[in-house]
Structures are given as C-alpha cells and as structure tokens.
Amino acid sequence: MFDPATTALLRAVLDEVCEKVSRSETSARTHVASRILEAATRGEASPDSLKQVGREALSEAPTMWR
C-alpha cells in the first residue's frame, strides 16, 4: 500500500506521538495508528500534519494512561 519511505515515516510519527503511551495500551496506539493511516491514505504526507492528526487522535483515544 505504501512505499518503504512512507511506511518508515508513518511508524516514526506513531512512535513520536505515542512516546508516553505504554506499548501495552494497544487500544490507544491502534486508534492513533488508524487515524494516521487514514490521513496518509487521503494523501497527507507532511510529517507535521501527520503528527497533528496523531495528537488529535491520541486526545480522544480510549486509554488508561492519561
């Protein structure tokens, strides 16, 4: 679906946005990843824009870490 460079960017954005979220918080991380992927699928490729999408998703994510 995405080329290797885009995949690496998406992974880096997810890791940065979720840096304070435990890896065991799979529901929150999955929610954020889903929103980032949706944005990328719509053609969003700017790291800053993808991070903003991720941050917004994190603020509404079902999680216990907040």
Side-chain angles (χ1 to χ4, degrees):
M1 183 172 183
F2 297 110
D3 62 57
T6 302
T7 300
L9 170 65
L10 297 176
R11 185 177 305 275
V13 167
L14 176 64
D15 287 345
E16 183 175 329
V17 170
C18 292
E19 68 185 348
K20 294 181 180 167
V21 179
S22 169
R23 293 234 181 239
S24 66
E25 291 286 348
T26 56
S27 61
R29 293 179 67 83
T30 300
H31 180 73
V32 173
S34 176
R35 292 297 175 89
I36 292 171
L37 284 171
E38 288 171 8
T41 300
R42 290 190 309 267
E44 187 58 63
S46 160
D48 289 336
S49 294
L50 291 169
K51 288 175 193 174
Q52 183 61 37
V53 168
R55 287 184 198 106
E56 289 171 6
L58 184 59
S59 72
E60 63 191 29
T63 182
M64 299 290 289
W65 74 275
R66 286 187 245 173

